Amino acid sequence: MPSKPKIHQPDDRFFKSVMSDPEVVKAYLQHFYPEIAGIADFSTLQQQNTQSMRPNLKLFSADVVYRCRLKGGSGEHFHFCLLFEHKSEPDEHVAVQIGLYIFLLLREQIKASKQPLEPVLPLLFYNGKATWQPKRIREIFKVHPSYEVLKPYLPDFRFLFEDAHRLPPEELLKLDLSYFRSTVLSMALRHKPDLIFEYIEVIFEGAEDSDQVLSIITYILGVAERSPKRFLEELENTEFTTKPNVMSTLEQLLEMGREEGREEGLDKGMYKKSIFNLLKTAVHFPDWPAKKLADFTELSMEVVATFLSVKSQGDSAVLSRYVRQDLLANIPLSAEDEEKLDRLVVQLAGG
């Protein structure tokens, strides 16, 4: 069944992949937060399933959550949780999001009858270009005219914040050769692609297996504005110990890209055809229910139901924006497609 092409988020994907490795988490805490590492029994470090339901019944999933026993502790009374969250651009209300995650995790503990509750330590990792110091909840409300009166009643917590943009490569190079060093260096240089290639040797030398090499390559290709072919050309003039493995992986990606490019072009064409089929069918059979439209167009019920909800507003501008920016995002449209789309939207909106 055709589906809407996904928007790639190389930073988020890379961070989640990297922090799913317990050895990287251990190195992260030892380097940035030695006081936390000092109380943790890393032999018990275990990643948790973080999917839960928001109060509005939507699924949420924090980036990465670990549960760990305290050194010298025993039983469930001596555990704590590590909540890792990643941001690639400033978020004024990140404290609200993290606060939601903290309390949902605590709620899950209550539902599981874990007594006493286990502390949740939020760790925020940022690798955006702009300088950013995230605000705590009370800081968000400082502009409120009655802040001093309300302050004692506002929730407040700190998070362990690390800004990769401020990490000088020279300091990271002092770390022991490891995948942790490779990944943090890659993310710290996210907005300096030329420097990524200057340090390409040490970045790849920390990758211990093919999966780690592939993960780093995929990330660099996603952020450094280079095609696999150009990346390959640049590496050909660079000498480093893991070069054969890196070059082999890139060659495989190039071949996969050629195959997927042909398939993606076909998938996008089929998906665009399904969306236009939905619009035309909704014009000629305005009383068809979502289920019948979904079966006929081979689109998901979610897509069709949302489309019908927007259509019911009767606003051609809103409907046009929704179709273009949501249903047909990243789908090339010809001049003929644009003209046909405008005509269908007007008909659907009752114009």
Side-chain angles (χ1 to χ4, degrees):
M1 181 180 296
S3 60
K4 181 180 173 182
K6 296 179 181 179
I7 298 174
H8 296 295
Q9 296 176 306
D11 289 289
D12 287 341
R13 285 204 318 274
F14 189 56
F15 181 82
K16 290 180 181 179
S17 171
V18 167
M19 300 311 289
S20 294
D21 184 337
E23 288 301 314
V24 173
V25 172
K26 177 181 175 181
Y28 186 96
L29 292 174
Q30 289 174 332
H31 179 70
F32 292 121
Y33 308 108
E35 72 282 5
I36 303 299
I39 65 172
D41 178 358
F42 285 122
S43 67
T44 67
L45 195 65
Q46 187 173 14
Q47 190 173 355
Q48 304 294 292
N49 179 3
T50 64
Q51 288 193 339
S52 184
M53 302 300 292
R54 295 179 189 263
N56 62 2
L57 301 183
K58 290 185 178 180
L59 194 68
F60 97 92
S61 178
D63 279 353
V64 183
V65 175
Y66 278 88
R67 185 168 180 254
C68 187
R69 183 178 295 175
L70 294 170
K71 281 183 178 178
S74 61
E76 294 193 358
H77 292 258
F78 297 94
H79 285 81
F80 65 101
C81 295
L82 298 162
L83 165 64
F84 288 91
E85 184 68 20
H86 166 259
K87 293 293 178 186
S88 56
E89 58 184 35
D91 181 349
E92 182 181 0
H93 302 120
V94 67
V96 177
Q97 178 190 355
I98 291 178
L100 172 64
Y101 289 168
I102 290 173
F103 283 102
L104 283 171
L105 288 168
L106 291 174
R107 187 186 71 165
E108 292 300 314
Q109 292 181 33
I110 293 173
K111 288 167 61 177
S113 300
K114 288 183 179 177
Q115 295 293 335
L117 293 180
E118 299 171 359
V120 179
L121 277 61
L123 299 101
L124 178 60
F125 184 85
Y126 169 68
N127 70 321
K129 190 173 185 179
T131 300
W132 180 45
Q133 181 59 49
K135 294 180 180 179
R136 293 159 58 183
I137 297 251
R138 287 186 178 178
E139 291 172 328
I140 294 174
F141 286 99
K142 267 192 174 181
V143 295
H144 194 284
S146 301
Y147 173 73
E148 290 302 326
V149 176
L150 299 173
K151 180 179 176 180
Y153 311 103
L154 296 173
D156 196 33
F157 58 87
R158 297 181 180 181
F159 27 70
L160 302 165
F161 176 66
E162 199 57 51
D163 183 352
H165 187 65
R166 299 178 186 175
L167 301 174
E170 298 76 15
E171 289 300 313
L172 293 175
L173 291 177
K174 296 177 183 178
L175 294 172
D176 291 336
L177 183 65
S178 65
Y179 186 48
F180 168 66
R181 183 180 76 171
S182 298
T183 55
V184 175
L185 188 58
S186 300
M187 297 192 80
L189 300 176
R190 187 252 192 273
H191 298 284
K192 302 173 183 176
D194 291 336
L195 277 183
I196 285 183
F197 287 89
E198 182 178 328
Y199 289 100
I200 203 73
E201 177 178 358
V202 293
I203 286 175
F204 279 114
E205 282 183 346
E208 299 173 357
D209 55 46
S210 297
D211 287 341
Q212 292 180 354
V213 169
L214 178 59
S215 183
I216 293 173
I217 289 177
T218 304
Y219 177 68
I220 292 176
L221 288 174
V223 302
E225 300 177 352
R226 281 163 171 78
S227 66
K229 183 177 180 181
R230 185 180 170 195
F231 193 0
L232 191 65
E233 291 171 351
E234 294 193 33
L235 289 181
E236 285 176 347
N237 299 319
T238 306
E239 294 300 327
F240 54 100
T241 55
T242 57
K243 181 176 178 178
N245 191 8
V246 175
M247 297 288 278
S248 173
T249 304
L250 261 175
E251 289 282 7
Q252 294 176 41
L253 282 176
L254 278 169
E255 181 56 34
M256 288 171 58
R258 284 189 283 268
E259 292 294 329
E260 291 176 0
R262 289 190 284 270
E263 294 177 3
E264 184 179 349
L266 180 61
D267 287 345
K268 284 186 175 182
M270 293 174 61
Y271 176 75
K272 182 175 74 172
K273 184 177 180 180
S274 293
I275 294 299
F276 273 95
N277 196 17
L278 171 64
L279 301 180
K280 288 185 290 185
T281 305
V283 166
H284 295 294
F285 302 98
D287 296 326
W288 273 21
K291 179 68 168 62
K292 191 171 183 178
L293 280 171
D295 290 342
F296 184 73
T297 61
E298 294 188 326
L299 292 166
S300 70
M301 273 292 293
E302 181 183 3
V303 168
V304 174
T306 305
F307 162 74
L308 291 177
S309 176
V310 176
K311 171 182 171 290
S312 68
Q313 299 178 34
D315 188 323
S316 60
V318 171
L319 182 58
S320 177
R321 185 165 57 250
Y322 168 72
V323 173
R324 283 180 164 83
Q325 296 182 5
D326 288 79
L327 292 182
L328 294 173
N330 302 318
I331 302 293
L333 297 177
S334 66
E336 183 181 353
D337 290 333
E338 293 282 2
E339 183 180 343
K340 186 188 301 182
L341 182 55
D342 288 338
R343 185 170 63 253
L344 288 170
V345 164
V346 170
Q347 291 176 306
L348 286 166

